[in-house]
Amino acid sequence: MVTLAGVTKQYNGHPALVDISLTVADGEFLSLLGPSGCGKTTLLRLIGGFERCTKGSVLIDGRDTDGVPPERRAVNTVFQNYALFPHMTVFDNVAFGLRMANRPRDEIAAAVNGALDLVQLHGMAARRPAELSGGQQQRVAIARAIVNKPRVLLLDEPLSALDHRLRKQMQKELKQLQRTLGITFILVTHDQDEAFAMSDRVVVMQQGRIEQIGSPREIYEEPVNLYVARFVGDINVLAGVIREKIGPNLYTALVEGVTVQLRSDRPLSLAQPVHILLRPEDFRLAVEDAATPARELPGTIRHAGLKGTVRRIFYHGATYDVEVSLENGTRIQVTEFFDEDSDTLSCTPGDRVTLGWHEGWEVVLPHEE
Amino acid sequence: MSRWLHRGYAGCVYAFLYLPLVVVAVFSFNSSKYSLAWKGFTLDWYVRLWQNSGLMTTAFNSLLIAAASATLATLLGTVAAFVLHRYRFPGRRTLFGTLFVMMMSPDIVIALSLLLLFLALSLPLGFSTLLLAHTVLCVPFVATTVFSRFVGFPDDLVDAARDLGAGEYQVFRHIVLPLASPAVAGGWLLSFTLSLDDVIISFFTTGPDFEVLPLRIYSMVRLGIKPDVNALCVVMMAVTVTALVLSKHLLKEKK
């Protein structure tokens, strides 16, 4: 549907995008995720036709789009600040694209009302944008874009101006809308929750380059480098050295002073320094008290026996975060779910604990400086 | 005490500024023809003004040239403002600068250079040269007024319109022009008043067969101030003030 082939964009010799290659499938929901200034909006503007590539090409439906202005592309954009025309009613805003295409009057009226129904703005047609709430303006912007039946819809941080609850709701509605319409959505966002909740695939970007492309689950569970791992949620990075290869994809390593088994798909050599990446929720902890000096962890997480002391506990309602410091000073964040059988927290600051993680949930990366 | 001082001072300023206008207005209703003494209220001078066909033709000429040059200047000035705002091209800064140079230049300099130009091109002085001259006078005022409106104008509206299939002309017609229309109308009214009360440029660039009001008044006054001139001045003042108030109103920032 949309193919980027070696796209490079420079502003006054300053690179904004470097050699980006990417194919977006028909009907896919793709997110471009990254911090501000990583080039994601520039990429969207290249597809929309507002900028021209310095090198490489953007293909839409297999055709090179170089020099094709925005008004002659089968893509529509939902702009970050909605960019609704303040001097037109909601109806005229939504009808704008069809009028520019010289469609017959009755067809326009039917299409506009259909689009307004789809975004649940029935009865708002005669209002001006200034008379609508932020969420309603957002819906008008979406209706105005989809009424033209584009092959690709580009969304530039469309939900960033909405409050938390409305944002959650609009995420669901956007996803629903994309399924209903069956068109390709390319969403730019800096919010990993948003990208994960809606997308089929996520492109993680940094400084004009693509760091990783994959399903939300791949990105979260198998990040290819420390940057991606850190950008998409909290992560614990442990230092380790490979000791021995004990089977296919199976190694022993010294991690934070404890010998553990590691599973890794990438080949590792002996004595190689590595990072072991673990999400806070991958850990389980067991408190050592006077009665049971070394309480056992459940079978599948027994193999890693890191020892530490509970420092702080943060209560979050359904979960609580425990900050543990290991004997060598490394801090680890653990997220635990409340034990259904007990209504109190199972540990308090100062407790000695044993930490383990689910076997095979670790991600092992070669050491990065 | 200080309140009275403030009021007295403000009174002096207003008197200094507006007393001459008040005097003209008062004398336009004075039934005495020659003396400056008040001889009673009359509307005779206005009636005579109305009946003076030569003067009425001149007034019509003035309004015609003001309306025509304001319209022409508004068209050119608006397009110039749009181009200066939307595009980056070599010479843009220079072009922008010349607008201010034109506004600051003494009228006499503009008048003389236009006269020289018209003579060099051997254009007969009259309606067309006066129209060109007044248009030149007004374009910078329209361009800067409309330009300042564009500056506060979100760029993404233009992007959005193009994204929805509007070409350059359609963007201008459906988005830029409607949003800039208060400034465009304000610019027109400003041009209208500039043209209506211009003496110097008109003096140099019109011919004997196309006379405008300010020049007519100037020649009438040389033969002594007659009350019908006062009446004429009051009428012109009314037209100018109305246009200015309207343009001010249109240029006011709307929420």
Side-chain angles (χ1 to χ4, degrees), chain B residues 58-117:
Chain B
T58 318
F60 175 77
N61 283 350
S62 258
L63 290 177
L64 178 72
I65 208 79
S69 65
T71 306
L72 216 59
T74 303
L75 286 175
L76 291 170
T78 304
V79 172
F82 180 67
V83 168
L84 285 171
H85 176 68
R86 182 110 173 83
Y87 301 103
R88 296 289 174 270
F89 51 90
R92 176 181 171 275
R93 278 168 159 277
T94 317
L95 194 62
F96 197 70
T98 53
L99 289 179
F100 288 94
V101 171
M102 283 298 290
M103 281 199 289
M104 299 306 199
S105 306
D107 280 2
I108 187 79
V109 175
I110 299 176
L112 208 63
S113 29
L114 282 168
L115 178 63
L116 286 174
L117 178 71

Side-chain angles (χ1 to χ4, degrees), chain A residues 45 50 69-71 75-77 79 83-88 96-97 100 144 148, chain B residues 156-168 170-171 174-176 178-179:
Chain A
R45 289 178 65 81
F50 300 108
E71 60 266 30
V75 298
N76 283 115
T77 309
F79 291 86
L84 300 179
F85 306 131
H87 60 298
M88 296 183 192
F96 190 83
M100 291 302 111
R144 185 176 70 174
N148 306 292
Chain B
D156 56 359
L157 289 184
V158 172
D159 282 350
R162 298 196 63 199
D163 186 70
L164 293 165
E168 288 288 304
Q170 286 164 317
V171 169
H174 295 292
I175 307 298
V176 174
L179 287 172

Side-chain angles (χ1 to χ4, degrees), chain A residues 84 90 121 124 127-137 140:
Chain A
L84 300 179
V90 167
L121 278 181
M124 300 282 183
R127 302 228 188 146
R128 294 279 170 131
E131 296 166 347
L132 302 177
S133 69
Q136 288 168 331
Q137 291 181 19
V140 176

Side-chain angles (χ1 to χ4, degrees), chain A residues 42 57-58 132 200 221 259 313 315 342:
Chain A
T42 305
S57 51
V58 176
L132 302 177
D200 300 317
E221 293 181 1
T259 302
I313 294 172
Y315 174 75
S342 109

Side-chain angles (χ1 to χ4, degrees), chain A residues 155-202:
Chain A
L155 303 110
D156 186 6
E157 303 253 7
L159 309 179
S160 60
L162 304 179
D163 66 44
H164 184 74
R165 260 186 61 192
L166 203 50
R167 194 155 67 222
K168 291 278 174 212
Q169 186 192 339
M170 285 303 294
Q171 285 175 8
K172 285 185 193 146
E173 286 183 22
L174 268 179
K175 182 71 198 163
Q176 187 62 44
L177 197 64
Q178 192 254 347
R179 290 217 181 96
T180 312
L181 298 169
I183 58 182
T184 308
F185 274 39
I186 301 178
L187 173 93
V188 159
T189 182
H190 62 269
D191 180 346
Q192 55 112 352
D193 281 341
E194 192 169 295
F196 284 3
M198 293 194 281
S199 323
D200 300 317
R201 280 195 305 161
V202 176

